Amino acid sequence: MSLVNLEAVHKRFGEFEVLSNINLSVSEGEIVAIIGRSGSGKSTLLRCINGLEPVQQGRITVDGTEVTAANADLNNLRQRVGMVFQSYNLFPHLSVERNVTLALKVVRKTPYAEARDIAHEVITKVGLADKFGAYPDELSGGQQQRVAIARSLAMGPKVMLFDEITSALDPELVGEVLRVLEALAADGMTMLLVTHEMKFAKTVGNRTVFMHEGRIHEEGDSRETLEHPRTPELTGFLDAVLH
Amino acid sequence: MIREFGSEDILFLLLATRWTILLTLASALIGGTIALVVAVLRIVPLRPANWLAIGYINLVQGTPVLGQLFIFFFGFSVFGWSVGAWTAAVTAFSIYASAYLAEIWRGGLQSVPKTQWESSAALGLTYLQRLRYIIVPQAVRINIPPTVGFIVQLIKNTSLASVIGFVELSRAGQMLNNATFAPMSIYLTVAAIYFVICYSLSNVSQRLERRIHVAR
Ligand SMILES: Nc1ncnc2c1ncn2[C@@H]1O[C@H](COP(=O)(O)OP(=O)(O)OP(=O)(O)O)[C@@H](O)[C@H]1O
Ligand SMILES: [Mg+2]
């Protein structure tokens, strides 16, 4: 059974169709890399999956919940779908610990001691046990991004959405974030990740989806797709990012 | 009849100052509570609520406080309610403060980046939870200086309540002047009292701002 399923999804901003007829099915434990040029609709695709953007046509289901239903309980769904953004978006007025425990306490009503234990566990997992009490502006970009991952993990999501989470980082900080993703992959987390790290897409991704002008232009096994592109558009794109 | 300006007069002014402070406090508290609701109605993604808030703000900001004071003081008697100067003044200044504070706070709420709404939504927080735990705490820090600035204006503006016979600091000054004809000493004392209150308030605000910054 697929965990995330998109059927004939169309998304428009006004007249402009940003996503055209997207069909995508992601199974539990699968890691899907989404690549494509700027403006091809990659972020919009992820944002439709957790209902941050409404769609005009088609059906999206995640973990048995129909996201596109008129009465969908999005706040409930989002507890099961983690999302990490390019610009980290930590809460600047809260410490690392409280960034991570906030949703547990407010949304889940988890008792304080338990929330703290969960926070300890996930913050340790991303390698920041010594930064528990720090504030976001005291952390490097790479550290902030790892806290953002921990913040999502604390809710115990079924699937994680990553939107170019290393793009805003200095090159020397990219590795520490990718290692966290690799550890999540090894744990069997289902992931959809928009990335420009082709090597990472190839080695960690099971499947690669190439977006072009709002459509899934090409998709398949990551290694196969990235080593032997079938369309001139993907060939051109790979040439451009690799050189 | 005519006497010298003496220390008992200073005491008289200080006692009247209580009413200036009480009127300001009451109006800021009641007005602030209304302002919070109006500011939120102004930003929720619900058109009719936005219109309601905008209409209210424009109506209040588009009329002079002096007129509002008269309306509440004399207006209610048309309906057979007799309203004291205190009630009329608190009502008028609360409404006046609510519109201005709502506009100030709306600006603060909207200056929190949209990404903060999104990342808290992505964690499953409801609209009101996002507002309460993420947006408002960040807006508060931005809002302290303009809010204090407005309250300093409010303190000085409460002197308008003297027109409906409410005895606060300015009105007390006028009364003394009628008895002593020593306008310079009286009004310099009155001005000095306003200055001390307003200056201390600005000072506290600056300290508060620094503290909140350190503790986020
Ligand atoms: N809120 C919006 N209103 C109008 N148009 C939008 C909005 N958000 C995105 N778009 C447009 O939709 C298209 C797809 O945007 P999207 O952000 O999904 O692209 P992307 O593939 O993630 O690009 P990038 O690699 O630059 O992040 C772009 O042309 C963009 O200008
Ligand atoms: Mg994008």
PDB file of all heavy atoms in Angstrom, chain A residues 47 75 78 81 85 89-93 102 106-107 135 137-138 151 155, chain B residues 115-116 118-119 121-126 129-130 133-134 137-138 216:
ATOM      1  N   ARG A  47       4.497  21.080  -0.955  1.00  0.00           N
ATOM      2  CA  ARG A  47       3.560  21.858  -0.138  1.00  0.00           C
ATOM      3  C   ARG A  47       2.115  21.415  -0.327  1.00  0.00           C
ATOM      4  O   ARG A  47       1.280  21.609   0.560  1.00  0.00           O
ATOM      5  CB  ARG A  47       3.716  23.353  -0.452  1.00  0.00           C
ATOM      6  CG  ARG A  47       5.090  23.903  -0.023  1.00  0.00           C
ATOM      7  CD  ARG A  47       5.412  25.214  -0.720  1.00  0.00           C
ATOM      8  NE  ARG A  47       4.402  26.204  -0.425  1.00  0.00           N
ATOM      9  CZ  ARG A  47       4.405  26.962   0.664  1.00  0.00           C
ATOM     10  NH1 ARG A  47       5.382  26.843   1.540  1.00  0.00           N
ATOM     11  NH2 ARG A  47       3.442  27.824   0.891  1.00  0.00           N
ATOM     12  N   ASN A  75      -4.555  19.700  10.370  1.00  0.00           N
ATOM     13  CA  ASN A  75      -3.691  19.801  11.547  1.00  0.00           C
ATOM     14  C   ASN A  75      -3.351  18.425  12.100  1.00  0.00           C
ATOM     15  O   ASN A  75      -2.253  18.197  12.591  1.00  0.00           O
ATOM     16  CB  ASN A  75      -4.339  20.667  12.619  1.00  0.00           C
ATOM     17  CG  ASN A  75      -4.483  22.107  12.154  1.00  0.00           C
ATOM     18  OD1 ASN A  75      -3.610  22.613  11.457  1.00  0.00           O
ATOM     19  ND2 ASN A  75      -5.591  22.737  12.494  1.00  0.00           N
ATOM     20  N   ARG A  78      -0.822  16.815   9.556  1.00  0.00           N
ATOM     21  CA  ARG A  78       0.531  17.388   9.584  1.00  0.00           C
ATOM     22  C   ARG A  78       1.368  16.858  10.731  1.00  0.00           C
ATOM     23  O   ARG A  78       2.590  16.975  10.714  1.00  0.00           O
ATOM     24  CB  ARG A  78       0.445  18.916   9.636  1.00  0.00           C
ATOM     25  CG  ARG A  78      -0.003  19.508   8.303  1.00  0.00           C
ATOM     26  CD  ARG A  78      -0.318  20.958   8.441  1.00  0.00           C
ATOM     27  NE  ARG A  78      -0.849  21.502   7.179  1.00  0.00           N
ATOM     28  CZ  ARG A  78      -1.588  22.588   7.102  1.00  0.00           C
ATOM     29  NH1 ARG A  78      -1.880  23.269   8.200  1.00  0.00           N
ATOM     30  NH2 ARG A  78      -2.030  23.016   5.942  1.00  0.00           N
ATOM     31  N   VAL A  81       3.209  14.137   9.050  1.00  0.00           N
ATOM     32  CA  VAL A  81       4.025  14.500   7.888  1.00  0.00           C
ATOM     33  C   VAL A  81       5.018  15.577   8.317  1.00  0.00           C
ATOM     34  O   VAL A  81       4.638  16.720   8.552  1.00  0.00           O
ATOM     35  CB  VAL A  81       3.138  15.049   6.747  1.00  0.00           C
ATOM     36  CG1 VAL A  81       3.980  15.362   5.525  1.00  0.00           C
ATOM     37  CG2 VAL A  81       2.044  14.061   6.398  1.00  0.00           C
ATOM     38  N   PHE A  85      12.374  23.006   5.788  1.00  0.00           N
ATOM     39  CA  PHE A  85      12.452  24.028   4.749  1.00  0.00           C
ATOM     40  C   PHE A  85      13.902  24.434   4.470  1.00  0.00           C
ATOM     41  O   PHE A  85      14.785  24.270   5.312  1.00  0.00           O
ATOM     42  CB  PHE A  85      11.685  25.275   5.189  1.00  0.00           C
ATOM     43  CG  PHE A  85      10.228  25.020   5.511  1.00  0.00           C
ATOM     44  CD1 PHE A  85       9.838  24.538   6.755  1.00  0.00           C
ATOM     45  CD2 PHE A  85       9.244  25.265   4.564  1.00  0.00           C
ATOM     46  CE1 PHE A  85       8.499  24.308   7.050  1.00  0.00           C
ATOM     47  CE2 PHE A  85       7.904  25.041   4.854  1.00  0.00           C
ATOM     48  CZ  PHE A  85       7.533  24.559   6.103  1.00  0.00           C
ATOM     49  N   ASN A  89      13.762  28.005   9.357  1.00  0.00           N
ATOM     50  CA  ASN A  89      12.536  28.473  10.005  1.00  0.00           C
ATOM     51  C   ASN A  89      12.365  28.000  11.430  1.00  0.00           C
ATOM     52  O   ASN A  89      11.267  27.646  11.857  1.00  0.00           O
ATOM     53  CB  ASN A  89      11.286  28.054   9.214  1.00  0.00           C
ATOM     54  CG  ASN A  89      11.309  28.542   7.786  1.00  0.00           C
ATOM     55  OD1 ASN A  89      12.207  29.297   7.415  1.00  0.00           O
ATOM     56  ND2 ASN A  89      10.359  28.118   6.998  1.00  0.00           N
ATOM     57  N   LEU A  90      13.451  27.994  12.200  1.00  0.00           N
ATOM     58  CA  LEU A  90      13.295  27.704  13.631  1.00  0.00           C
ATOM     59  C   LEU A  90      12.551  28.869  14.270  1.00  0.00           C
ATOM     60  O   LEU A  90      12.490  29.956  13.710  1.00  0.00           O
ATOM     61  CB  LEU A  90      14.671  27.535  14.289  1.00  0.00           C
ATOM     62  CG  LEU A  90      15.445  26.299  13.857  1.00  0.00           C
ATOM     63  CD1 LEU A  90      16.773  26.227  14.607  1.00  0.00           C
ATOM     64  CD2 LEU A  90      14.644  25.026  14.071  1.00  0.00           C
ATOM     65  N   PHE A  91      11.999  28.633  15.458  1.00  0.00           N
ATOM     66  CA  PHE A  91      11.315  29.711  16.177  1.00  0.00           C
ATOM     67  C   PHE A  91      12.373  30.477  16.965  1.00  0.00           C
ATOM     68  O   PHE A  91      12.944  29.948  17.926  1.00  0.00           O
ATOM     69  CB  PHE A  91      10.239  29.129  17.094  1.00  0.00           C
ATOM     70  CG  PHE A  91       9.287  28.208  16.366  1.00  0.00           C
ATOM     71  CD1 PHE A  91       8.987  26.946  16.859  1.00  0.00           C
ATOM     72  CD2 PHE A  91       8.707  28.612  15.164  1.00  0.00           C
ATOM     73  CE1 PHE A  91       8.111  26.100  16.174  1.00  0.00           C
ATOM     74  CE2 PHE A  91       7.837  27.772  14.472  1.00  0.00           C
ATOM     75  CZ  PHE A  91       7.543  26.520  14.987  1.00  0.00           C
ATOM     76  N   PRO A  92      12.676  31.716  16.579  1.00  0.00           N
ATOM     77  CA  PRO A  92      13.841  32.419  17.137  1.00  0.00           C
ATOM     78  C   PRO A  92      13.702  32.759  18.609  1.00  0.00           C
ATOM     79  O   PRO A  92      14.704  32.964  19.281  1.00  0.00           O
ATOM     80  CB  PRO A  92      13.924  33.690  16.288  1.00  0.00           C
ATOM     81  CG  PRO A  92      12.561  33.884  15.736  1.00  0.00           C
ATOM     82  CD  PRO A  92      11.962  32.515  15.575  1.00  0.00           C
ATOM     83  N   HIS A  93      12.461  32.809  19.107  1.00  0.00           N
ATOM     84  CA  HIS A  93      12.261  33.199  20.507  1.00  0.00           C
ATOM     85  C   HIS A  93      12.296  32.007  21.449  1.00  0.00           C
ATOM     86  O   HIS A  93      12.130  32.172  22.651  1.00  0.00           O
ATOM     87  CB  HIS A  93      10.930  33.939  20.651  1.00  0.00           C
ATOM     88  CG  HIS A  93       9.741  33.113  20.248  1.00  0.00           C
ATOM     89  ND1 HIS A  93       9.595  32.596  18.980  1.00  0.00           N
ATOM     90  CD2 HIS A  93       8.658  32.709  20.949  1.00  0.00           C
ATOM     91  CE1 HIS A  93       8.452  31.919  18.917  1.00  0.00           C
ATOM     92  NE2 HIS A  93       7.873  31.965  20.095  1.00  0.00           N
ATOM     93  N   LEU A 102       7.674  22.150  21.586  1.00  0.00           N
ATOM     94  CA  LEU A 102       6.458  22.974  21.475  1.00  0.00           C
ATOM     95  C   LEU A 102       5.252  22.225  20.903  1.00  0.00           C
ATOM     96  O   LEU A 102       4.183  22.186  21.508  1.00  0.00           O
ATOM     97  CB  LEU A 102       6.728  24.226  20.630  1.00  0.00           C
ATOM     98  CG  LEU A 102       5.484  25.107  20.528  1.00  0.00           C
ATOM     99  CD1 LEU A 102       5.386  26.036  21.722  1.00  0.00           C
ATOM    100  CD2 LEU A 102       5.434  25.891  19.246  1.00  0.00           C
ATOM    101  N   VAL A 106       1.846  21.472  22.813  1.00  0.00           N
ATOM    102  CA  VAL A 106       0.662  22.241  22.415  1.00  0.00           C
ATOM    103  C   VAL A 106      -0.321  21.389  21.600  1.00  0.00           C
ATOM    104  O   VAL A 106      -1.526  21.440  21.812  1.00  0.00           O
ATOM    105  CB  VAL A 106       1.103  23.474  21.591  1.00  0.00           C
ATOM    106  CG1 VAL A 106      -0.083  24.150  20.959  1.00  0.00           C
ATOM    107  CG2 VAL A 106       1.863  24.440  22.486  1.00  0.00           C
ATOM    108  N   VAL A 107       0.217  20.616  20.664  1.00  0.00           N
ATOM    109  CA  VAL A 107      -0.660  19.862  19.766  1.00  0.00           C
ATOM    110  C   VAL A 107      -1.022  18.502  20.362  1.00  0.00           C
ATOM    111  O   VAL A 107      -2.173  18.108  20.377  1.00  0.00           O
ATOM    112  CB  VAL A 107       0.014  19.670  18.390  1.00  0.00           C
ATOM    113  CG1 VAL A 107      -0.899  18.900  17.450  1.00  0.00           C
ATOM    114  CG2 VAL A 107       0.375  21.026  17.790  1.00  0.00           C
ATOM    115  N   TYR A 135      19.925  29.058  21.804  1.00  0.00           N
ATOM    116  CA  TYR A 135      18.901  29.701  20.978  1.00  0.00           C
ATOM    117  C   TYR A 135      19.338  29.643  19.514  1.00  0.00           C
ATOM    118  O   TYR A 135      20.540  29.599  19.227  1.00  0.00           O
ATOM    119  CB  TYR A 135      18.695  31.149  21.432  1.00  0.00           C
ATOM    120  CG  TYR A 135      17.778  31.220  22.628  1.00  0.00           C
ATOM    121  CD1 TYR A 135      18.270  31.046  23.922  1.00  0.00           C
ATOM    122  CD2 TYR A 135      16.412  31.400  22.463  1.00  0.00           C
ATOM    123  CE1 TYR A 135      17.415  31.070  25.019  1.00  0.00           C
ATOM    124  CE2 TYR A 135      15.556  31.427  23.546  1.00  0.00           C
ATOM    125  CZ  TYR A 135      16.060  31.260  24.822  1.00  0.00           C
ATOM    126  OH  TYR A 135      15.210  31.277  25.894  1.00  0.00           O
ATOM    127  N   ASP A 137      19.820  31.706  17.166  1.00  0.00           N
ATOM    128  CA  ASP A 137      20.845  32.618  16.644  1.00  0.00           C
ATOM    129  C   ASP A 137      22.244  32.337  17.200  1.00  0.00           C
ATOM    130  O   ASP A 137      23.191  33.008  16.836  1.00  0.00           O
ATOM    131  CB  ASP A 137      20.432  34.089  16.842  1.00  0.00           C
ATOM    132  CG  ASP A 137      20.311  34.470  18.314  1.00  0.00           C
ATOM    133  OD1 ASP A 137      20.592  33.621  19.185  1.00  0.00           O
ATOM    134  OD2 ASP A 137      19.936  35.624  18.592  1.00  0.00           O
ATOM    135  N   GLU A 138      22.330  31.345  18.077  1.00  0.00           N
ATOM    136  CA  GLU A 138      23.661  30.962  18.561  1.00  0.00           C
ATOM    137  C   GLU A 138      24.212  29.756  17.788  1.00  0.00           C
ATOM    138  O   GLU A 138      25.274  29.246  18.117  1.00  0.00           O
ATOM    139  CB  GLU A 138      23.593  30.610  20.054  1.00  0.00           C
ATOM    140  CG  GLU A 138      23.188  31.792  20.930  1.00  0.00           C
ATOM    141  CD  GLU A 138      22.740  31.384  22.318  1.00  0.00           C
ATOM    142  OE1 GLU A 138      22.501  30.178  22.546  1.00  0.00           O
ATOM    143  OE2 GLU A 138      22.612  32.257  23.173  1.00  0.00           O
ATOM    144  N   ARG A 151      13.067  18.780  15.207  1.00  0.00           N
ATOM    145  CA  ARG A 151      11.751  19.309  15.556  1.00  0.00           C
ATOM    146  C   ARG A 151      10.652  18.516  14.840  1.00  0.00           C
ATOM    147  O   ARG A 151       9.616  18.206  15.423  1.00  0.00           O
ATOM    148  CB  ARG A 151      11.706  20.788  15.140  1.00  0.00           C
ATOM    149  CG  ARG A 151      10.425  21.503  15.445  1.00  0.00           C
ATOM    150  CD  ARG A 151      10.540  22.979  15.152  1.00  0.00           C
ATOM    151  NE  ARG A 151      10.659  23.265  13.719  1.00  0.00           N
ATOM    152  CZ  ARG A 151      10.674  24.495  13.219  1.00  0.00           C
ATOM    153  NH1 ARG A 151      10.586  25.544  13.997  1.00  0.00           N
ATOM    154  NH2 ARG A 151      10.786  24.682  11.916  1.00  0.00           N
ATOM    155  N   MET A 155       7.710  14.598  16.407  1.00  0.00           N
ATOM    156  CA  MET A 155       6.295  14.248  16.281  1.00  0.00           C
ATOM    157  C   MET A 155       6.101  12.818  15.780  1.00  0.00           C
ATOM    158  O   MET A 155       4.976  12.361  15.608  1.00  0.00           O
ATOM    159  CB  MET A 155       5.592  15.219  15.328  1.00  0.00           C
ATOM    160  CG  MET A 155       5.619  16.667  15.780  1.00  0.00           C
ATOM    161  SD  MET A 155       4.742  16.932  17.330  1.00  0.00           S
ATOM    162  CE  MET A 155       3.058  17.108  16.737  1.00  0.00           C
TER     163      MET A 155
ATOM    164  N   THR B 115       7.105  32.670   6.901  1.00  0.00           N
ATOM    165  CA  THR B 115       7.662  31.326   7.081  1.00  0.00           C
ATOM    166  C   THR B 115       7.443  30.803   8.499  1.00  0.00           C
ATOM    167  O   THR B 115       7.422  29.601   8.719  1.00  0.00           O
ATOM    168  CB  THR B 115       9.172  31.340   6.781  1.00  0.00           C
ATOM    169  OG1 THR B 115       9.773  32.396   7.549  1.00  0.00           O
ATOM    170  CG2 THR B 115       9.438  31.585   5.316  1.00  0.00           C
ATOM    171  N   GLN B 116       7.262  31.722   9.465  1.00  0.00           N
ATOM    172  CA  GLN B 116       6.994  31.277  10.839  1.00  0.00           C
ATOM    173  C   GLN B 116       5.586  30.685  10.936  1.00  0.00           C
ATOM    174  O   GLN B 116       5.370  29.712  11.648  1.00  0.00           O
ATOM    175  CB  GLN B 116       7.144  32.451  11.819  1.00  0.00           C
ATOM    176  CG  GLN B 116       8.584  32.912  11.970  1.00  0.00           C
ATOM    177  CD  GLN B 116       9.420  31.932  12.794  1.00  0.00           C
ATOM    178  OE1 GLN B 116       9.040  31.536  13.881  1.00  0.00           O
ATOM    179  NE2 GLN B 116      10.559  31.516  12.257  1.00  0.00           N
ATOM    180  N   GLU B 118       4.142  29.223   8.423  1.00  0.00           N
ATOM    181  CA  GLU B 118       4.196  27.965   7.680  1.00  0.00           C
ATOM    182  C   GLU B 118       4.849  26.850   8.459  1.00  0.00           C
ATOM    183  O   GLU B 118       4.355  25.732   8.494  1.00  0.00           O
ATOM    184  CB  GLU B 118       4.972  28.159   6.373  1.00  0.00           C
ATOM    185  CG  GLU B 118       4.132  28.814   5.323  1.00  0.00           C
ATOM    186  CD  GLU B 118       4.857  28.937   4.018  1.00  0.00           C
ATOM    187  OE1 GLU B 118       6.084  28.703   3.980  1.00  0.00           O
ATOM    188  OE2 GLU B 118       4.189  29.284   3.032  1.00  0.00           O
ATOM    189  N   SER B 119       5.999  27.165   9.092  1.00  0.00           N
ATOM    190  CA  SER B 119       6.688  26.070   9.768  1.00  0.00           C
ATOM    191  C   SER B 119       5.896  25.617  10.987  1.00  0.00           C
ATOM    192  O   SER B 119       5.940  24.442  11.342  1.00  0.00           O
ATOM    193  CB  SER B 119       8.127  26.450  10.124  1.00  0.00           C
ATOM    194  OG  SER B 119       8.154  27.643  10.853  1.00  0.00           O
ATOM    195  N   ALA B 121       2.555  25.740  11.109  1.00  0.00           N
ATOM    196  CA  ALA B 121       1.428  24.995  10.527  1.00  0.00           C
ATOM    197  C   ALA B 121       1.872  23.582  10.176  1.00  0.00           C
ATOM    198  O   ALA B 121       1.144  22.615  10.398  1.00  0.00           O
ATOM    199  CB  ALA B 121       0.911  25.706   9.280  1.00  0.00           C
ATOM    200  N   ALA B 122       3.099  23.464   9.645  1.00  0.00           N
ATOM    201  CA  ALA B 122       3.590  22.156   9.221  1.00  0.00           C
ATOM    202  C   ALA B 122       3.758  21.193  10.388  1.00  0.00           C
ATOM    203  O   ALA B 122       3.849  19.988  10.195  1.00  0.00           O
ATOM    204  CB  ALA B 122       4.915  22.310   8.469  1.00  0.00           C
ATOM    205  N   LEU B 123       3.791  21.732  11.614  1.00  0.00           N
ATOM    206  CA  LEU B 123       3.906  20.861  12.796  1.00  0.00           C
ATOM    207  C   LEU B 123       2.530  20.478  13.345  1.00  0.00           C
ATOM    208  O   LEU B 123       2.432  19.770  14.338  1.00  0.00           O
ATOM    209  CB  LEU B 123       4.700  21.578  13.895  1.00  0.00           C
ATOM    210  CG  LEU B 123       6.202  21.695  13.654  1.00  0.00           C
ATOM    211  CD1 LEU B 123       6.818  22.700  14.615  1.00  0.00           C
ATOM    212  CD2 LEU B 123       6.884  20.340  13.798  1.00  0.00           C
ATOM    213  N   GLY B 124       1.481  20.989  12.715  1.00  0.00           N
ATOM    214  CA  GLY B 124       0.135  20.621  13.149  1.00  0.00           C
ATOM    215  C   GLY B 124      -0.515  21.606  14.104  1.00  0.00           C
ATOM    216  O   GLY B 124      -1.564  21.310  14.676  1.00  0.00           O
ATOM    217  N   LEU B 125       0.085  22.773  14.315  1.00  0.00           N
ATOM    218  CA  LEU B 125      -0.545  23.761  15.188  1.00  0.00           C
ATOM    219  C   LEU B 125      -1.762  24.377  14.485  1.00  0.00           C
ATOM    220  O   LEU B 125      -1.706  24.660  13.289  1.00  0.00           O
ATOM    221  CB  LEU B 125       0.435  24.893  15.556  1.00  0.00           C
ATOM    222  CG  LEU B 125       1.357  24.650  16.760  1.00  0.00           C
ATOM    223  CD1 LEU B 125       2.455  23.672  16.403  1.00  0.00           C
ATOM    224  CD2 LEU B 125       1.972  25.961  17.241  1.00  0.00           C
ATOM    225  N   THR B 126      -2.847  24.603  15.236  1.00  0.00           N
ATOM    226  CA  THR B 126      -4.015  25.263  14.663  1.00  0.00           C
ATOM    227  C   THR B 126      -3.696  26.747  14.476  1.00  0.00           C
ATOM    228  O   THR B 126      -2.690  27.243  15.003  1.00  0.00           O
ATOM    229  CB  THR B 126      -5.228  25.162  15.595  1.00  0.00           C
ATOM    230  OG1 THR B 126      -4.923  25.879  16.798  1.00  0.00           O
ATOM    231  CG2 THR B 126      -5.564  23.718  15.931  1.00  0.00           C
ATOM    232  N   GLN B 129      -3.236  28.473  17.763  1.00  0.00           N
ATOM    233  CA  GLN B 129      -1.990  28.044  18.426  1.00  0.00           C
ATOM    234  C   GLN B 129      -0.775  28.699  17.781  1.00  0.00           C
ATOM    235  O   GLN B 129       0.157  29.116  18.480  1.00  0.00           O
ATOM    236  CB  GLN B 129      -1.851  26.513  18.356  1.00  0.00           C
ATOM    237  CG  GLN B 129      -2.843  25.784  19.251  1.00  0.00           C
ATOM    238  CD  GLN B 129      -2.899  24.286  18.980  1.00  0.00           C
ATOM    239  OE1 GLN B 129      -2.496  23.808  17.919  1.00  0.00           O
ATOM    240  NE2 GLN B 129      -3.399  23.537  19.951  1.00  0.00           N
ATOM    241  N   ARG B 130      -0.791  28.818  16.458  1.00  0.00           N
ATOM    242  CA  ARG B 130       0.326  29.491  15.772  1.00  0.00           C
ATOM    243  C   ARG B 130       0.411  30.935  16.249  1.00  0.00           C
ATOM    244  O   ARG B 130       1.482  31.447  16.550  1.00  0.00           O
ATOM    245  CB  ARG B 130       0.077  29.504  14.253  1.00  0.00           C
ATOM    246  CG  ARG B 130       0.319  28.183  13.581  1.00  0.00           C
ATOM    247  CD  ARG B 130      -0.171  28.233  12.140  1.00  0.00           C
ATOM    248  NE  ARG B 130      -1.124  27.161  11.917  1.00  0.00           N
ATOM    249  CZ  ARG B 130      -1.975  27.110  10.905  1.00  0.00           C
ATOM    250  NH1 ARG B 130      -2.020  28.071  10.012  1.00  0.00           N
ATOM    251  NH2 ARG B 130      -2.787  26.086  10.782  1.00  0.00           N
ATOM    252  N   TYR B 133       1.495  30.946  20.233  1.00  0.00           N
ATOM    253  CA  TYR B 133       2.824  30.477  20.660  1.00  0.00           C
ATOM    254  C   TYR B 133       3.957  30.955  19.772  1.00  0.00           C
ATOM    255  O   TYR B 133       5.106  30.977  20.189  1.00  0.00           O
ATOM    256  CB  TYR B 133       2.853  28.942  20.723  1.00  0.00           C
ATOM    257  CG  TYR B 133       1.932  28.391  21.781  1.00  0.00           C
ATOM    258  CD1 TYR B 133       0.677  27.882  21.455  1.00  0.00           C
ATOM    259  CD2 TYR B 133       2.306  28.416  23.121  1.00  0.00           C
ATOM    260  CE1 TYR B 133      -0.176  27.393  22.431  1.00  0.00           C
ATOM    261  CE2 TYR B 133       1.466  27.930  24.109  1.00  0.00           C
ATOM    262  CZ  TYR B 133       0.228  27.425  23.753  1.00  0.00           C
ATOM    263  OH  TYR B 133      -0.610  26.958  24.723  1.00  0.00           O
ATOM    264  N   ILE B 134       3.664  31.297  18.531  1.00  0.00           N
ATOM    265  CA  ILE B 134       4.744  31.639  17.598  1.00  0.00           C
ATOM    266  C   ILE B 134       4.696  33.107  17.181  1.00  0.00           C
ATOM    267  O   ILE B 134       5.701  33.812  17.256  1.00  0.00           O
ATOM    268  CB  ILE B 134       4.671  30.741  16.329  1.00  0.00           C
ATOM    269  CG1 ILE B 134       4.670  29.263  16.730  1.00  0.00           C
ATOM    270  CG2 ILE B 134       5.810  31.065  15.374  1.00  0.00           C
ATOM    271  CD1 ILE B 134       5.874  28.811  17.529  1.00  0.00           C
ATOM    272  N   PRO B 137       4.308  36.092  20.482  1.00  0.00           N
ATOM    273  CA  PRO B 137       5.539  36.331  21.259  1.00  0.00           C
ATOM    274  C   PRO B 137       6.610  37.085  20.472  1.00  0.00           C
ATOM    275  O   PRO B 137       7.341  37.885  21.039  1.00  0.00           O
ATOM    276  CB  PRO B 137       6.023  34.923  21.599  1.00  0.00           C
ATOM    277  CG  PRO B 137       4.822  34.053  21.505  1.00  0.00           C
ATOM    278  CD  PRO B 137       3.951  34.655  20.449  1.00  0.00           C
ATOM    279  N   GLN B 138       6.682  36.829  19.166  1.00  0.00           N
ATOM    280  CA  GLN B 138       7.690  37.546  18.377  1.00  0.00           C
ATOM    281  C   GLN B 138       7.244  38.973  18.091  1.00  0.00           C
ATOM    282  O   GLN B 138       8.068  39.884  17.976  1.00  0.00           O
ATOM    283  CB  GLN B 138       7.964  36.811  17.062  1.00  0.00           C
ATOM    284  CG  GLN B 138       8.618  35.462  17.289  1.00  0.00           C
ATOM    285  CD  GLN B 138       8.948  34.756  15.986  1.00  0.00           C
ATOM    286  OE1 GLN B 138       9.652  35.295  15.139  1.00  0.00           O
ATOM    287  NE2 GLN B 138       8.432  33.555  15.823  1.00  0.00           N
ATOM    288  N   ARG B 216      15.385  36.667  24.718  1.00  0.00           N
ATOM    289  CA  ARG B 216      14.546  36.446  23.525  1.00  0.00           C
ATOM    290  C   ARG B 216      13.095  36.684  23.866  1.00  0.00           C
ATOM    291  O   ARG B 216      12.302  35.770  23.972  1.00  0.00           O
ATOM    292  CB  ARG B 216      14.687  35.040  22.932  1.00  0.00           C
ATOM    293  CG  ARG B 216      15.790  34.995  21.934  1.00  0.00           C
ATOM    294  CD  ARG B 216      16.967  34.430  22.577  1.00  0.00           C
ATOM    295  NE  ARG B 216      18.178  34.528  21.819  1.00  0.00           N
ATOM    296  CZ  ARG B 216      19.352  34.559  22.433  1.00  0.00           C
ATOM    297  NH1 ARG B 216      19.420  34.580  23.725  1.00  0.00           N
ATOM    298  NH2 ARG B 216      20.435  34.605  21.717  1.00  0.00           N
TER     299      ARG B 216
END
